[in-house]
Amino acid sequence: MSTAAADALAPLAELPGVAEAVSDARRAVDRLYGHRVMRRRADEVTAESVLRGARASAALDGADWPLEEVRRRTDYGADAEARRVGGALRVTAESGQLLSAWRHSPLQVLARLHLLATGDAEAEAGAGAGAGFRSGSGAGSAVGRPRLAGEAIEELLPLDLPAADSLGPDGLPEVPDFPLPAAPSADEAAARLDALARLLVDRVDRKAPATAAPALVVAAVVHGELLTLRPFASHNGLVARAAQRIVLISEGLDPKGICPAEVGLVELGTDAYRGALGGYASGTQEGMAAWIAHCARALRLGMRESTAVCEAMQRGMA
């Protein structure tokens, strides 16, 4: 069996509209990386992408703060919203540091991301990037491990974030009316999470070429699967969006982490996010294609944000 045939994600790249969405995103990424500001100030663009992506991810998770508020604050432990923003900053900032562990131990990285998202200082003190899922009892026992049977799950998209008015002449993407199903049982979520991890590790071991399953498709699947499974009792959105960022970096589509797809998700609005995710959860070809296209559009809008940052830097305004 050939490498491409063995790649379980490769057929998704052949769904209607996916190839075009992948190609459009690839061209947009290339244009952004070719911007003259990237030659000397790439690190600054990356830092700004982290900040803006974290702000957007926190907004999707229920803490919709203005960018300047996120930029100026130093204390993120004062209240629940502040802790949520702090968690988003931690997981987004550390995403680029977890690439090696992700390629061989994605479950361990997910555990690390959950620790960072929750801000559990006691748990984090004993867990580095190589720490695996934790177990135990007590108030912090749900941190860094999949949920158990009977544990309540935090709401996935608590805020109603409307679509931005400046999405261009095409307006909003058409999202099929797929309902978002309830999270699967803890046992099913754990089994599917293991299967996802094996698929990702096997892809690395086989050195699957990007042409078998493009980076955007892999990232969309990881993002969609984590949101659908909701493997943790809380902070699943922050973890899923950080995992997508890791995939985009590790697969080489956005190696410097300058494309804040989280910003695009906010611009498209939570109704479209929820509807597209329902398409992924449906498992139908139409639904999967709609989800991947939604992720592609969000990435392109994130690149538009970073392009504006580059333009501001070029004019000496940032």
Side-chain angles (χ1 to χ4, degrees), residues 222-239:
V222 169
H223 184 180
E225 190 72 359
L226 290 173
L227 288 182
T228 300
L229 297 182
R230 281 156 272 180
F232 301 102
S234 66
H235 299 81
N236 289 294
L238 294 184
V239 170

Side-chain angles (χ1 to χ4, degrees), residues 179-238:
L180 182 60
S185 69
D187 287 345
E188 180 183 346
R192 284 176 59 175
L193 196 62
D194 284 340
L196 176 64
R198 288 196 301 272
L199 186 152
L200 293 170
V201 171
D202 184 54
R203 177 179 168 85
V204 171
D205 289 344
R206 290 185 290 103
K207 296 181 174 60
T211 52
L216 180 58
V217 171
V218 180
V221 167
V222 169
H223 184 180
E225 190 72 359
L226 290 173
L227 288 182
T228 300
L229 297 182
R230 281 156 272 180
F232 301 102
S234 66
H235 299 81
N236 289 294
L238 294 184

Side-chain angles (χ1 to χ4, degrees), residues 121-213:
E122 180 181 351
E124 192 174 339
F133 285 123
R134 300 167 61 245
S135 61
S137 60
S141 64
V143 178
R145 64 146 173 84
R147 57 186 165 87
L148 302 177
E151 286 185 326
I153 308 173
E154 184 180 71
E155 187 177 356
L156 190 58
L157 295 170
L159 295 185
D160 178 19
L161 299 175
D165 294 330
S166 57
L167 291 174
D170 293 334
L172 288 173
E174 182 177 347
V175 178
D177 187 18
F178 287 103
L180 182 60
S185 69
D187 287 345
E188 180 183 346
R192 284 176 59 175
L193 196 62
D194 284 340
L196 176 64
R198 288 196 301 272
L199 186 152
L200 293 170
V201 171
D202 184 54
R203 177 179 168 85
V204 171
D205 289 344
R206 290 185 290 103
K207 296 181 174 60
T211 52

Side-chain angles (χ1 to χ4, degrees), residues 29-172:
V29 170
D30 290 343
R31 285 196 298 271
L32 177 55
Y33 271 83
H35 197 286
R36 62 188 302 173
V37 166
M38 288 296 297
R39 299 173 195 167
R40 290 176 295 184
R41 303 182 68 179
D43 289 347
E44 295 175 64
V45 179
T46 297
E48 196 65 24
S49 169
V50 166
L51 183 70
R52 292 171 185 242
R55 189 220 73 83
S57 193
L60 292 164
D61 228 41
D64 188 13
W65 285 16
L67 179 63
E68 291 310 313
E69 176 72 5
V70 178
R71 195 187 301 279
R72 75 171 184 83
R73 284 285 287 265
T74 57
D75 175 19
Y76 292 99
D79 53 52
E81 279 201 2
R83 289 192 293 274
R84 189 73 56 163
V85 175
L89 285 166
R90 287 189 295 272
V91 297
T92 309
E94 192 156 327
S95 296
Q97 310 303 316
L98 298 172
L99 304 183
S100 178
W102 175 264
R103 294 185 180 104
H104 303 290
S105 303
L107 293 182
Q108 293 177 345
V109 172
L110 293 176
R112 173 64 176 169
L113 291 174
H114 195 246
L115 290 174
L116 293 167
T118 59
D120 188 317
E122 180 181 351
E124 192 174 339
F133 285 123
R134 300 167 61 245
S135 61
S137 60
S141 64
V143 178
R145 64 146 173 84
R147 57 186 165 87
L148 302 177
E151 286 185 326
I153 308 173
E154 184 180 71
E155 187 177 356
L156 190 58
L157 295 170
L159 295 185
D160 178 19
L161 299 175
D165 294 330
S166 57
L167 291 174
D170 293 334
L172 288 173

